[in-house]
């Protein structure tokens, strides 16, 4: 992954998020608008920090409940009453915690693989472990992107001890989802619920592999909050469910169930008081990706290998430095490199341009710009307000569609630019004591 890393002095580092992600920083920037309803409360920047471990086995029972439908992509979706929860009672048709666990244990997996993590750059077995869950009976499994990012020889393990080699169908880094495929049929699948129908205070159940060793653990809690906006280290603002169900490293990618036994979230992160999970003292603050936010993306990945309609600009950017702003340069995102043949090149964008607004909405940094672009679909036109050589102007461009091929091209552009980037970072660090990586990939 490539980060837009906000380095702050140690005295400003107050909190971290662990369970494969760490949150650090003092007062975070306010997140830009996103297409989600409800309150948006900003967290700090998340950084990937994978933790090793092993996976193991257990037993399972199955209960059926509710009416399910099958989507065009073969996913199983369930229904629930919008008035299922009231102040005084739980509606009939819900399950207790033990039933939710028994109903879904056979659908949950441990995810393991090889990752280059040691000092010598060697492949280390069991260097990463996480969780996942079966979404199609013919071997499709959903997990977090950060669980398999940079990992080779991926395997998944079921509660009965069965282990399969897995291949990566595709993933969506910004929304932290990935789909794996194993050579198996007749698997028990989860039912995907409606996370938007959740109410704060509803009970939820997480099943996963905390620490990579305590395999197929069941933890329970409640929906603590909805629509928590969490700003990732690369500028991505993710909408999250907050829960007090116990979540630790190794739970990432596992399912979060409601009382109907339906998946309402993908467990992703937790708060901790330090960058190491072993010394965490903040408990009961965990996060899961709302399943309703990513259902369509998962279907796209299964069908096409990537998320369709995702906009791509074809540029790498960096925030305008504070020292430059002091000399009258406007806030915004400075273009550092442009992909050949991209919509940015076709529209006349140039290296050194500073993008200050998108279709009339002011953007003060890469995070804000990226969020505004993600409000649009590929094929739509947007207008960039730019600052170039002391002059302001507007450029209109038609957004490209992101794809695996375009991502590969951006990766190559990044590699070519890396040496120059490192030199710039050293210069910035000497001048201001901090630096940031450019955002790339759209």
């Amino acid at each position: 992954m490539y980060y837009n890393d906000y380095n702050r002095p140690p005295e400003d580092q107050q909190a971290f998020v662990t369970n494969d992600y760490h949150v650090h920083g003092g007062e975070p920037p306010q997140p830009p608008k996103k297409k989600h309803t409800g309150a948006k409360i900003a967290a700090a920047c998340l950084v990937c920090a994978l933790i090793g471990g092993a996976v193991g086995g257990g037993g399972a029972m199955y209960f059926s409940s509710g009416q399910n439908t099958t989507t065009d992509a073969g996913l199983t979706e369930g229904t629930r009453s919008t008035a299922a929860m009231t102040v005084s009672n739980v509606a009939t048709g819900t399950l207790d915690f033990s039933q939710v666990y028994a109903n879904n244990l056979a659908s949950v997996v441990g995810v393991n693989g090889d990752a280059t993590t040691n000092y010598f750059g060697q492949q280390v077995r069991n260097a990463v472990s996480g969780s996942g869950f079966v979404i199609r009976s013919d071997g499709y499994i959903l997990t977090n992107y950060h669980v398999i990012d940079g990992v080779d020889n991926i395997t998944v393990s079921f509660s009965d001890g069965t282990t399969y080699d897995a291949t990566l169908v595709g993933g969506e880094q910004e929304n932290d989802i990935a789909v794996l495929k194993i050579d198996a049929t007749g698997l028990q699948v989860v039912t995907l619920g409606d996370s938007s129908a959740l109410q704060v205070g509803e009970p939820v159940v997480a099943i996963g592999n905390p620490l990579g060793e305590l395999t197929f653990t069941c933890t329970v809690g409640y929906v603590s909050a909805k629509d928590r906006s969490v700003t990732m280290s690369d500028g991505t603002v993710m909408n999250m469910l907050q829960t007090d169900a116990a979540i630790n490293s190794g739970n990432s990618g596992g399912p979060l169930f409601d009382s109907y036994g339906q998946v309402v979230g993908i467990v992703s992160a937790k708060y901790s008081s330090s960058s190491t999970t072993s010394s965490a003292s903040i408990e009961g603050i965990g996060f899961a990706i709302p399943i309703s936010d990513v259902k369509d993306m998962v279907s796209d990945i299964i069908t096409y290998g990537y998320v369709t309609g995702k906009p791509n600009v074809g540029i790498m950017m960096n925030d305008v430095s504070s020292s430059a702003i002091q000399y009258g340069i406007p806030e915004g995102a400075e273009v550092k490199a442009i992909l050949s043949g991209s919509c940015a090149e076709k529209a006349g964008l140039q290296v050194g341009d500073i993008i200050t607004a998108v279709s009339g909405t002011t953007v003060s940094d890469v995070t804000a710009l990226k969020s505004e672009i993600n409000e649009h679909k590929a094929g739509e036109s947007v207008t960039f307000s730019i600052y170039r050589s002391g002059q302001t102007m507007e450029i209109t461009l038609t957004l490209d569609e992101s794809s695996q091929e375009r991502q590969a091209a951006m990766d190559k552009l990044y590699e070519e630019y890396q040496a120059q980037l490192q030199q710039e970072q050293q210069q910035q660090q000497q001048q201001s004591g901090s630096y940031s990586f450019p955002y790339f990939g759209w």
Side-chain angles (χ1 to χ4, degrees):
M1 295 174 67
Y2 308 100
Y3 303 102
N4 185 22
D5 193 9
Y6 303 97
N7 289 341
R8 293 182 172 87
E11 59 270 20
D12 288 342
Q13 297 179 358
Q14 299 176 352
F16 298 79
V17 162
T18 60
N19 191 29
D20 300 325
Y21 273 136
H22 302 301
V23 168
H24 54 129
E27 289 297 324
Q30 291 298 316
K33 64 179 182 180
K34 300 293 289 181
K35 289 184 177 178
H36 302 298
T37 58
K40 307 292 185 178
I41 301 178
C45 301
L46 298 181
V47 180
C48 192
L50 298 174
I51 306 297
V55 293
M61 296 176 61
Y62 181 78
F63 294 86
S64 61
S65 175
Q67 296 183 354
N68 300 331
T69 59
T70 303
T71 67
D72 291 340
L75 307 180
T76 301
E77 293 185 337
T79 58
R80 57 174 283 177
S81 170
T82 56
M85 303 294 294
T86 68
V87 174
S88 60
N89 72 295
V90 177
T92 59
T94 60
L95 307 173
D96 63 31
F97 295 142
S98 63
Q99 289 174 321
V100 172
Y101 181 79
N103 190 40
N104 292 282
L105 178 60
S107 302
V108 180
V109 301
V111 180
N112 230 1
D114 298 335
T116 304
T117 58
N118 71 6
Y119 181 80
F120 301 101
Q122 298 171 330
Q123 290 288 320
V124 181
R125 186 62 184 167
N126 294 337
V128 57
S129 66
S131 304
F133 49 97
V134 179
I135 54 176
R136 273 188 26 174
S137 61
D138 55 348
Y140 287 88
I141 292 168
L142 183 59
T143 187
N144 280 145
Y145 186 93
H146 76 262
V147 168
I148 53 82
D149 186 24
V151 177
D152 298 317
N153 302 320
I154 302 171
T155 62
V156 299
S157 301
F158 287 81
S159 60
D160 62 1
T162 306
T163 301
Y164 294 89
D165 293 331
T167 57
L168 177 63
V169 177
E172 221 288 309
Q173 184 174 354
E174 291 182 5
N175 290 280
D176 198 21
I177 56 173
V179 176
L180 306 177
K181 179 70 168 67
I182 63 175
D183 186 12
T185 58
L187 299 176
Q188 180 179 312
V189 301
V190 299
T191 298
L192 303 182
D194 181 5
S195 55
S196 65
L198 285 172
Q199 298 184 37
V200 173
E202 280 197 46
V204 286
V205 178
I207 304 176
N209 303 278
L211 308 182
E213 298 177 357
L214 303 176
T215 56
F216 302 101
T217 293
C218 174
T219 55
V220 301
Y222 298 90
V223 178
S224 303
K226 297 172 61 177
D227 296 306
R228 294 293 197 196
S229 291
V230 179
T231 303
M232 312 300 289
S233 60
D234 64 356
T236 303
V237 179
M238 291 189 65
N239 181 51
M240 293 280 198
L241 294 172
Q242 181 183 330
T243 178
D244 64 347
I247 291 172
N248 291 282
S249 297
N251 276 113
S252 286
L256 186 72
F257 297 94
D258 64 10
S259 57
Y260 287 81
Q262 300 174 0
V263 173
V264 290
I266 308 170
V267 174
S268 182
K270 71 168 290 185
Y271 261 121
S272 172
S273 62
S274 81
S275 60
T276 59
T277 57
S278 60
S279 59
S281 62
I282 298 174
E283 299 297 337
I285 304 179
F287 298 99
I289 302 167
I291 197 66
S292 296
D293 287 1
V294 297
K295 280 182 184 178
D296 291 343
M297 299 179 193
V298 173
S299 296
D300 276 353
I301 292 172
I302 292 174
T303 304
Y304 305 105
Y306 64 96
V307 177
T308 61
K310 179 181 174 184
N312 183 286
V313 178
I315 56 178
M316 293 193 297
M317 300 171 297
N318 207 352
D319 294 342
V320 176
S321 66
S322 57
S323 58
I325 294 174
Q326 292 177 355
Y327 284 96
I329 303 299
E331 291 184 327
E334 181 182 1
V335 178
K336 306 298 290 186
I338 300 175
L339 182 65
S340 177
S342 66
C343 63
E345 183 185 61
K346 294 175 181 177
L349 207 62
Q350 298 179 8
V351 172
D353 286 349
I354 297 172
I355 303 170
T356 60
V358 178
S359 298
T361 301
T362 300
V363 292
S364 60
D365 52 26
V366 171
T367 300
L369 174 58
K370 181 169 171 286
S371 181
E372 283 299 319
I373 292 297
N374 285 336
E375 294 289 332
H376 300 272
K377 293 288 187 180
E380 294 182 5
S381 294
V382 296
T383 300
F384 284 171
S385 298
I386 64 172
Y387 176 87
R388 177 189 296 170
S389 302
Q391 303 294 322
T392 59
M393 61 186 69
E394 291 187 343
I395 291 179
T396 299
L397 53 94
T398 301
L399 297 171
D400 294 326
E401 182 178 44
S402 182
S403 65
Q404 291 176 315
E405 292 77 12
R406 186 169 293 275
Q407 187 64 55
M410 291 300 297
D411 288 343
K412 183 177 180 181
L413 179 64
Y414 177 84
E415 291 173 0
E416 294 173 348
Y417 183 69
Q418 194 171 23
Q420 180 182 347
L421 173 64
Q422 291 173 347
Q423 183 178 1
E424 286 187 8
Q425 291 168 349
Q426 292 173 355
Q427 293 174 350
Q428 291 178 9
Q429 190 174 27
Q430 292 173 355
Q431 294 173 0
S432 63
S434 65
Y435 60 87
S436 60
F437 293 91
Y439 173 75
F440 88 105
W442 57 273

